[in-house]
Amino acid sequence: MKTAVQIASGTMLATTIGLLAMQLVGLMSWPLARGVSGIAIGLIASTMFALLLRKKLGQPISIVASGIGAIVACFFAISTVEILPPGSLQWFFQGGLYGAAFGVPVAAILSPLALMERRRVIDDSVSN
C-alpha cells in the first residue's frame, strides 16, 4: 500500500510540475504557451521530472501516467483563455486550478501503470 501511495503521489507531482512549467512559460510569453506547443512544454517537463524522480527515489513512478495527466491539465488550463485574459496572473491561478482539477486525477487514476511495468521488469529478469 505504501508503494502505491508513493507512486501516485510522485505521478501527481510530476503532472503538477509539467502544468506549472507550461504556465510559467505562458506568463513570460503567451504565444509560446498557446495551443500544441504549450501542451508539449507541459508533457516534456512532466516526463523529465518523472524520470528524475524515478532515478533519485528508486520508486517506479509512472512516466506515461504523468505525461497523460500533464497533457490533460495543460489542455484545460490553455482552454480557459476563452474566458480569462491570456498570459495574466488571473489565468495563471484560475486556469492552473482548472487544469489541475482535471489533469491530476487522471494521473492518479493511471498511476498503477508503474506497478504493471515494474512487474514486467521483474518477470523478465526471473525468466532469464
Side-chain angles (χ1 to χ4, degrees):
M1 183 68 174
K2 182 180 175 183
T3 303
V5 171
Q6 288 175 340
I7 292 169
S9 61
T11 304
M12 292 186 297
L13 178 63
T15 298
T16 305
I17 293 297
L19 175 63
L20 182 63
M22 184 276 302
Q23 288 191 294
L24 289 174
V25 170
L27 276 179
M28 291 186 284
S29 173
W30 173 247
L32 289 176
R34 67 178 180 199
V36 177
S37 61
I39 293 171
I41 290 168
L43 173 66
I44 292 168
S46 175
T47 54
M48 295 308 256
F49 191 75
L51 282 169
L52 179 70
L53 282 177
R54 178 184 270 190
K55 184 173 262 191
K56 293 294 181 188
L57 296 179
Q59 291 292 329
I61 294 171
S62 179
I63 297 167
V64 173
S66 64
I68 292 172
I71 288 171
V72 171
C74 290
F75 172 78
F76 280 101
I78 291 170
S79 70
T80 60
V81 299
E82 294 183 11
I83 55 173
L84 300 171
S88 65
L89 284 176
Q90 182 182 11
W91 169 78
F92 183 81
F93 290 112
Q94 290 180 346
L97 289 174
Y98 187 72
F102 286 98
V104 172
V106 166
I109 290 169
L110 295 177
S111 65
L113 291 173
L115 293 173
M116 292 184 340
E117 182 177 324
R118 183 177 185 187
R119 181 175 292 146
R120 187 184 68 203
V121 169
I122 291 171
D123 289 344
D124 287 344
S125 66
V126 170
S127 65
N128 288 334

